[in-house]
Amino acid sequence: MNVHAETCLLTQAQLLDLSFMEHRAHLLAIAAFLDRLERAQDAAQASDDFRLTALRGALHELVSPESGRVVRAQMRLSDQDLTLLDLRGSQSAFGAPQREAGPHSLDSEAEQ
Amino acid sequence: MNYIDMHAHMISRTTDDYHAMALSGCLAVTEPAFWSGRDRLGPEAFADYFDHLTTFEPARAREYGIAHYAWLCLNPKEGEDRELTRQVLKLIPAFLERPTVLGIGEIGLNRVTRNEMATFLDHVELALEHHQLIHIHTPHLEDKYKGTRVMIEALAADPRIEPGRVMIDHAEEHTAELILAHGFWTGITLYPKTKASPARAIDMIEMYGSERLIVASACDWGPSQPLAVPEFIFEARRRGHDEATIRKIVLDNPQRFLGQSPKFVAPRPETALAGR
C-alpha cells in the first residue's frame, strides 16, 4: 500500500509526456558513466571504491517494485552512524559513506 | 508571482542578479552568514563580513525594490575551530541590534564532529539568550542524514526550544519528514547536483504537505541559480498546482516564519519595481 498514492496531481500519461525524455537522458548518462569507468586506465583500481559501491546499491533501488525508492537510494548514499567524529578528516563531503552503518539513537524509527 | 528567497548569499552574487530577481517578482531575500570558500584569517574578518551583510547588501538590494535581511553566525565549515568560535561569538551580540538582522544562522554541522556540535550548541545558547529566530544548515551529501538526526535530537531534548521559531534547511527526501514531525520549519533548497531540484521539491510538498515548508535558492559563489524560486513556480504550475498553493510556499510561509521577528516587515507587492 503506497501511503502517498495519488498525491501527484498529474496522470501517469501526463507525467510521461512532460518528463520522459529528461529522465531517459539521465538514465543513459549513468549507463555511459558506468561504461566509461570500465574503459578507464587501470580499470580495476577503483572497482571497490566506496562511492561506486554506494552508487551500485542505489541503482538496485531504482528497479525495486516498492515505492520509496528515492528515500532508500538516499540512505544508501548516507552515513548512518550517528556517532560524532573526534577528528574531522576533510572539510568537504564525498557523496557516499565511508563508514559501515553504526549506532543509531532514534531506534523507534524505521531506518531502511 | 511575487516571492521571498529565504536563503540567498547575495554577497557572492552580482548586481545583475538583483536586477533579474526583481524582474521575476522577488520582494525580499534573507541572507545567512556562510563560508566564503576559504577559512577566514581571524575574527576581524567576521566583523567586516557582518558589517557588509547589514549595510552594503541592504542598500544594494533596495536599489531594485528588494528588502534584504541577514542572519549572523560562524558557519559550520569553520565551526571546527573552537577558539575562533569563542572570539566570533563575542562579536555577534552587537550586530544583532542592527535593524535588518533577523536571527542566528546558518548554524549547524558540516562533517558532524564533536567540535562542530559544541559550536552549534553555543550558537543555540546565543539565540536563546537574545530571543532570536534560528536558521539551521544541515550537512551536505552523505553527512546530511546523521547531521540532521543529531541536531534534532539535541534540540528536541531542550525544553527551551520552540520548534516553530527554528528553520531547518536543506531538507531532502530522507530528512524532510523527520524535521516536520518534530514541529520545525523545513527548507528545501533548489540547488544543482548537491541538493534538490524543483521537481523533487514538488514531490516532497505533494507527499508531506505545505505546512511549515519553504523553498529557497541558497545561491552563492558555487554553481547555483538565483532564479531558482521562479523556476520552482514554473515547475509547480506545470505539475498542476494552483496559484494559492504555490503562493503559500513562496510568499505566505516565509512571511509567517520571518514575521516572528519584530524587525521583519512584510513586503507589499505594490512596492515592487517589477514582476508583479
Side-chain angles (χ1 to χ4, degrees):
Chain A
M1 174 65 186
N2 184 350
V3 296
H4 298 298
E6 298 193 357
T7 52
C8 179
L9 303 183
L10 302 184
T11 65
Q12 289 191 342
Q14 287 173 318
L15 276 175
L16 287 164
D17 289 345
L18 185 68
S19 51
F20 171 76
M21 295 294 268
E22 176 190 353
H23 294 94
R24 177 184 184 275
H26 292 328
L27 176 76
L28 294 177
I30 294 169
F33 175 62
L34 293 173
D35 284 347
R36 199 174 307 133
L37 283 167
E38 282 186 354
R39 294 187 293 101
Q41 307 299 311
D42 300 324
Q45 288 288 322
S47 59
D48 58 351
D49 183 280
F50 68 97
R51 291 163 296 188
L52 198 50
T53 302
L55 183 67
R56 287 197 182 104
L59 287 171
H60 277 291
E61 302 297 350
L62 304 193
V63 294
S64 165
E66 300 295 321
S67 63
R69 296 168 193 86
V70 65
V71 172
R72 292 196 304 276
Q74 288 271 29
M75 295 309 288
R76 295 259 200 171
L77 297 165
S78 296
D79 182 354
Q80 297 181 49
D81 183 343
L82 301 191
T83 311
L84 296 172
L85 297 175
D86 291 320
L87 293 169
R88 185 180 70 179
S90 67
Q91 199 170 38
S92 296
F94 297 92
Q98 292 178 277
R99 298 192 287 179
E100 295 297 315
H104 299 83
S105 49
L106 286 176
D107 51 15
S108 60
E109 188 185 333
E111 296 290 340
Q112 302 295 331
Chain B
M1 181 182 288
N2 289 124
Y3 68 92
I4 293 172
D5 195 334
M6 274 259 322
H7 193 143
H9 297 292
M10 299 310 293
I11 191 171
S12 57
R13 306 300 309 195
T14 66
T15 301
D16 286 346
D17 289 334
Y18 275 120
H19 186 199
M21 291 165 85
L23 289 175
S24 66
C26 184
L27 296 177
V29 296
T30 84
E31 177 159 6
F34 83 141
W35 189 58
S36 73
R38 66 187 238 307
D39 291 352
R40 291 175 177 89
L41 299 176
E44 297 83 2
F46 283 87
D48 207 41
Y49 176 47
F50 297 155
D51 189 57
H52 182 118
L53 290 183
T54 53
T55 57
F56 182 73
E57 288 307 327
R60 198 160 65 119
R62 201 175 303 121
E63 292 289 312
Y64 293 88
I66 295 172
H68 180 285
Y69 297 93
W71 307 79
L72 304 181
C73 73
L74 178 140
N75 63 87
K77 274 196 188 268
E78 285 165 280
E80 185 70 9
D81 187 334
R82 294 291 293 142
E83 180 52 34
L84 179 66
T85 298
R86 280 186 276 273
Q87 293 171 323
V88 173
L89 283 168
K90 288 178 189 168
L91 297 173
I92 291 174
F95 286 97
L96 292 178
E97 296 170 12
R98 296 201 173 183
T100 55
V101 177
L102 298 180
I104 299 294
E106 57 181 302
I107 61 173
L109 300 173
N110 177 40
R111 300 310 314 276
V112 198
T113 68
R114 293 189 190 285
N115 282 344
E116 289 173 10
M117 192 67 184
T119 293
F120 168 71
L121 295 173
D122 282 347
H123 279 97
V124 170
E125 286 296 329
L126 185 69
L128 289 168
E129 184 182 334
H130 292 271
H131 196 60
Q132 297 289 314
L133 296 175
I134 300 174
H135 186 174
I136 294 176
H137 161 99
T138 56
H140 301 288
L141 302 167
E142 75 269 22
D143 298 322
K144 183 176 299 295
Y145 172 76
K146 64 180 178 181
T148 304
R149 283 276 300 262
V150 299
M151 286 191 288
I152 284 177
E153 287 181 9
L155 295 171
D158 188 335
R160 300 170 301 164
I161 295 290
E162 298 174 59
R165 290 177 56 81
V166 178
M167 159 72 64
I168 300 184
D169 215 341
H170 310 320
E172 291 184 54
E173 292 88 350
H174 54 324
T175 58
E177 206 168 10
L178 178 69
I179 297 166
L180 289 167
H182 282 81
F184 300 106
W185 282 80
T186 305
I188 299 174
T189 307
L190 310 164
Y191 196 95
K193 291 186 183 173
T194 57
K195 296 185 177 74
S197 63
R200 285 172 50 208
I202 294 158
D203 291 338
M204 286 183 259
I205 290 160
E206 288 173 348
M207 290 189 291
Y208 308 132
S210 57
E211 283 303 308
R212 287 181 284 110
L213 197 147
I214 62 103
V215 296
S217 71
C219 60
D220 58 11
W221 45 261
S224 51
Q225 173 54 282
L227 299 185
V229 177
E231 291 280 0
F232 167 86
I233 294 167
F234 172 78
E235 184 67 20
R237 285 171 175 158
R238 285 211 307 172
R239 290 270 293 267
H241 290 274
D242 61 42
E243 295 297 285
T245 301
I246 301 170
R247 187 176 299 107
K248 180 180 178 183
I249 299 289
V250 302
L251 186 61
D252 300 346
N253 279 357
Q255 289 187 152
R256 273 181 59 210
F257 177 70
L258 299 171
Q260 296 177 95
S261 167
K263 293 180 187 170
F264 179 76
V265 179
R268 302 201 327 273
E270 58 271 24
T271 65
L273 299 179
R276 291 198 289 268

